[in-house]
Amino acid sequence: MAPHRALDTDVPDVLARMRALDAVLPPHDGVAVFNRVYLAVTREVGRRIDTGGFTDAGAARTLDVLFADRYLAAVDAATADRRPPACWRPLFQMRRHPGVRPLQFALAGINAHIGHDLALAVVDACRGLGCEPADLEDEYDRVGDLLVALEERIREELMPGPDLLQLADPLTHLLGSWSLERARDATWTAARALWALRRLPDVAEEFTERLDTAVGFAGRMLLTPL
């Protein structure tokens, strides 16, 4: 697992990058759909940091920026025709598929970002702050609670319609196989494992690659054309 670059941006810089992407991407592009969701999340995290919504605002800011930076790095890689991490490849490959619905794009992006990037961002933040994962657990949980609340809103906004139609919709059954809360719990375990393996770089690298591959597999399932 290669060390991440030093923190040299803040939440406003991340928001500016996401707004710039929103301005240039076609509205129905799958990456654009996820970017709009993530822009709302990051805006809310920044607001809560500024208003005292986190016990340690500095730690929350560091985690938030390092977390977002991994998504933006994946976008940069795809834009430059380089291979992004395996967890992001399904979204970039399927971003214009007419048989994939907006909610699938949004949740596939959340899956990649939570399932893979967040675990590595926790380790990045611990290295930068000189702390243990346990010291970031409160910030991790608060960000996770915000994501769960926003996921519920996303599902309502991107899959409207009467309940009976939703029950009969294959999208309902497909997305019922994935849970943000379960993904968040698994990610915390992965972050703790990676931290424990930091003095065994070969093992940590293998663990990270397998995590990346597994999350990418789940993303392909979420993007099944309907």
Side-chain angles (χ1 to χ4, degrees):
M1 179 177 60
H4 207 50
R5 67 179 177 79
L7 182 65
D8 58 8
T9 57
D10 204 344
V11 177
D13 302 304
V14 169
L15 288 170
R17 283 287 317 275
M18 292 181 188
R19 291 191 186 102
L21 284 172
D22 188 53
V24 299
L25 292 174
H28 299 295
D29 180 287
V31 177
V33 172
F34 170 72
N35 189 74
R36 287 194 295 273
V37 169
Y38 196 27
L39 177 58
V41 171
T42 306
R43 188 184 297 119
E44 180 62 18
V45 170
R47 186 190 70 79
R48 295 192 185 191
I49 289 173
D50 292 340
T51 57
F54 289 91
T55 305
D56 186 335
R61 184 177 294 108
T62 297
L63 179 60
D64 185 55
V65 172
L66 290 173
F67 184 32
D69 198 40
R70 287 190 172 272
Y71 157 63
L72 294 171
V75 173
D76 289 343
T79 302
D81 290 327
R82 292 182 282 108
R83 283 166 66 84
C87 62
W88 284 107
R89 286 174 210 156
L91 180 60
F92 287 110
Q93 291 167 355
M94 302 290 285
R95 62 193 296 178
R96 296 181 182 88
H97 196 294
V100 179
R101 303 190 197 178
L103 179 57
Q104 292 174 266
F105 289 132
L107 295 186
I110 292 172
N111 168 70
H113 205 37
I114 297 296
H116 173 266
D117 293 355
L118 184 54
L120 273 61
V122 169
V123 174
D124 292 339
C126 287
R127 286 174 171 160
L129 296 169
C131 67
E132 300 281 328
D135 299 319
L136 296 178
E137 190 167 7
D138 183 67
E139 286 69 32
Y140 182 94
D141 287 341
R142 288 174 187 261
V143 171
D145 291 342
L146 173 60
L147 286 165
V148 169
L150 284 172
E151 186 207 16
E152 294 174 357
R153 192 179 79 188
I154 291 162
R155 286 178 182 263
E156 291 174 359
E157 290 178 355
L158 297 183
M159 196 171 74
D163 290 342
L164 288 177
L165 289 180
Q166 290 187 21
L167 287 173
D169 194 319
L171 181 60
T172 302
H173 301 284
L174 175 65
L175 300 180
S177 64
W178 184 83
S179 162
L180 175 56
E181 292 200 54
R182 289 198 300 270
R184 184 179 69 170
D185 291 344
T187 294
W188 181 246
T189 300
R192 292 177 62 226
L194 282 169
W195 185 250
L197 292 170
R198 66 191 183 281
R199 294 185 180 89
L200 298 171
D202 291 345
V203 180
E205 185 73 27
E206 182 178 349
F207 184 98
T208 302
E209 289 178 2
R210 291 183 183 274
L211 176 67
D212 190 20
T213 300
V215 174
F217 180 81
R220 291 194 185 282
M221 180 272 294
L222 287 169
L223 292 170
T224 301
L226 300 175

